[in-house]
Amino acid sequence: TQYLELAKAGDASGIAALFMADGAWYPGSGTAGQGQAGVEAAWAESFAFNPPEANAWSADRFDVAASGDLAVEHGSYQGASTSGRPGVP
């Protein structure tokens, strides 16, 4: 998917462009992003601590609401943190 390819490339701006103006991204750890600028900042922060080349991504399926305004990606992610501590950027 485009989202997965952008994440693998470390393209925070490209990822943010996929979100609606009032969209939000809530990572498992780190800073949540609200709005396209916030989403871009949150992804940039994530990439700073977890470089894309040190990560493994896979998407198994996507669920999209009938209204088309909500999607959930299911898959797996394995990454390396620059802090050396699990769950801490």
Side-chain angles (χ1 to χ4, degrees):
T1 68
Q2 184 179 9
Y3 179 82
L4 187 57
E5 293 307 312
L6 291 166
K8 287 179 179 179
D11 187 347
S13 177
I15 291 171
L18 299 175
F19 283 75
M20 297 183 70
D22 62 349
W25 179 59
Y26 298 97
S29 62
T31 304
Q34 182 70 42
Q36 287 178 327
V39 169
E40 181 175 353
W43 270 100
E45 177 184 286
S46 177
F47 290 140
F49 291 111
N50 298 292
E53 61 274 5
N55 300 312
W57 305 75
S58 69
D60 300 323
R61 79 173 203 268
F62 294 90
D63 294 329
V64 180
S67 62
D69 63 352
L70 175 68
V72 178
E73 175 186 9
H74 301 268
S76 63
Y77 163 79
Q78 247 183 335
S81 171
T82 57
S83 73
R85 298 180 302 174
V88 178

